[in-house]
Amino acid sequence: MATTDASTIACALNELIAGRIDQCPQEALPSLVGDLLCEIVDNRLDNLPLPGGGATLERWRVLAAVAAHDLSLLKLYEAHTDALAILGEAGVTDIPPLSVWGVWCAEPPGAVLRARRLAAEGALALDGEKRWCSGARFATHALISYRDEQRRSCLAAVDLGQDGIVVEDDAWKAIGMAATRTATLRFTGVHATPVGAPGFYLERPGFWHGAIGIAAGWFGAAAALAEKLRQALHNRNDPHGLAHLGEIDCQLSGALNQLREAARFIDTHPATITARLALSSRLQAEVAAQAVLAHVGRALGPAPYCLDRHSARILADLPVFLRQSHAERDLAQLGALSMESEESPWQL
């Protein structure tokens, strides 16, 4: 798939989104987010540079720009563009035009999706359930993880327009990220096509590239909220507010430099597994976002929660989205990876 210059895409996305979400009544927001995602695909504003292709930072800048508008939209847009990158990494070129994709690979306890081989060569039938399916009401296709006969993790492409799929989104009680319409899908004999070999989804370099792309979204939303504070402090004699802004600046600058370094490394070593770099980037972005959430409220009081729809939405959405991080589990994995080097990994 040919890509368009990322800065051109970012400008077009800003024009498409600007003002529409902030002016939308809360109850109509899920429908608007779905409509915007379809408009984005219709206008080919999903043709981002692929990770590791020399413009990874530009890709992440687009994700951050969408996140600065709305995190529910970013969640669906990032998944769609990640699906296109995964299909490209797998060598799949026959992608239905104007299709809207989800990537649903969570495997929580109690939710099992199994596959049966069909007579047609390579075809599968899926049975079971898949949870945490964001955008299930809007997507036309999805990449879905399943377990094969040997219990290996595998990936399949599914056309969501066929019979045998039940969408249940009444269990999604969240106020933050409500517009994603995250659902549980139940499959009965649903046809699917394998994508890559067993283990492909988790073992490819792009798994970690996409993981950092999520962090770029967290960063973009946090930076937008921090800018609200920076603007509010203009022409104000507020040393305590400036101290809060200073702490935010330290945290965001550290995360920003880490994301830039990660992008440079990925573009220089696109085939390298970057687990330690990805975990560090995600955790730094998470820490920075948490700092912004804390300090903006302490500096400005209830106003950003109550009087500005844009900041109120970020304050509600970002804590939910950040829980896509695995917290101490990721910290433990990062600690283990830092032990693998014979020399200290922190030499200047």
Side-chain angles (χ1 to χ4, degrees):
M1 177 185 295
T3 58
T4 306
D5 176 73
S7 60
T8 302
I9 291 176
C11 290
L13 285 168
N14 284 330
E15 291 180 6
L16 181 67
I17 301 168
R20 293 174 65 182
I21 291 179
D22 290 336
Q23 296 167 10
C24 179
Q26 190 67 28
E27 63 274 11
L29 191 56
S31 294
L32 177 60
V33 166
D35 290 344
L36 284 170
L37 182 63
C38 291
E39 289 182 44
I40 287 169
V41 175
D42 290 348
N43 287 282
R44 303 190 182 280
L45 299 179
D46 55 346
N47 294 344
L48 297 182
L50 295 175
T56 300
L57 185 60
E58 285 71 20
R59 177 187 178 90
W60 293 347
R61 282 173 175 159
V62 175
L63 298 178
V66 175
H69 285 288
D70 184 78
L71 279 169
S72 288
L73 179 59
L74 179 275
K75 171 66 175 171
L76 306 187
Y77 178 72
E78 186 281 330
H80 171 77
T81 54
D82 188 40
L84 299 182
I86 294 168
L87 291 167
E89 201 169 356
V92 177
T93 57
D94 186 18
I95 301 172
L98 303 183
S99 52
V100 177
W101 289 77
V103 179
W104 303 327
C105 295
E107 296 185 348
V112 179
L113 189 63
R114 302 192 185 280
R116 296 179 283 113
R117 292 284 175 182
L118 298 177
E121 184 177 353
L124 302 170
L126 300 179
D127 297 283
E129 71 175 57
K130 178 60 69 174
R131 298 178 189 169
W132 303 104
C133 300
S134 296
R137 294 289 185 183
F138 314 125
T140 64
H141 296 74
L143 294 177
I144 299 179
S145 65
Y146 68 93
R147 295 287 170 166
D148 66 6
E149 296 86 349
Q150 289 78 44
R151 298 288 300 158
R152 296 175 296 182
S153 179
C154 303
L155 191 67
V158 180
D159 183 338
L160 300 173
Q162 59 186 297
D163 294 333
I165 302 175
V166 177
V167 180
E168 300 176 353
D169 57 7
D170 55 340
W172 185 245
K173 308 300 184 186
I175 303 302
M177 303 297 288
T180 61
R181 298 287 297 274
T182 298
T184 295
L185 269 60
R186 303 193 185 280
F187 296 83
T188 304
V190 173
H191 288 201
T193 303
V195 175
F200 162 76
Y201 175 70
L202 294 175
E203 295 170 2
R204 63 201 167 83
F207 175 79
W208 296 106
H209 303 165
I212 308 176
I214 292 286
W218 299 340
F219 177 87
L225 194 57
E227 183 61 17
K228 297 273 189 181
L229 173 59
R230 197 177 76 91
Q231 293 299 326
L233 292 176
H234 277 298
N235 303 317
R236 284 175 56 172
N237 182 18
D238 186 352
H240 293 99
L242 289 173
H244 287 296
L245 184 62
E247 177 62 24
I248 284 173
D249 180 62
C250 287
Q251 297 290 346
L252 284 179
S253 294
L256 174 63
N257 289 332
Q258 179 74 1
L259 288 169
R260 287 175 173 170
E261 175 57 32
R264 283 194 291 267
F265 184 89
I266 288 169
D267 283 335
T268 306
H269 308 87
T272 300
I273 300 295
T274 57
R276 181 169 173 265
L277 182 62
L279 288 167
S280 179
S281 299
R282 283 170 62 89
L283 288 162
Q284 285 201 44
E286 180 185 0
V287 168
Q290 295 283 15
V292 172
L293 289 169
H295 286 280
V296 165
R298 293 174 68 87
L300 297 178
Y305 296 87
C306 306
L307 302 180
D308 181 276
R309 179 175 289 186
H310 182 217
S311 61
R313 200 169 60 251
I314 295 176
L315 287 161
D317 289 345
L318 188 53
V320 179
F321 201 174
L322 286 173
R323 294 287 37 91
Q324 192 165 331
S325 162
H326 299 125
E328 282 72 19
R329 291 180 179 84
D330 283 350
L331 284 166
Q333 186 178 359
L334 179 61
L337 290 170
S338 72
M339 295 286 289
E340 293 180 355
S341 173
E342 293 184 2
E343 298 182 352
S344 171
W346 308 298
Q347 297 182 50
L348 188 61

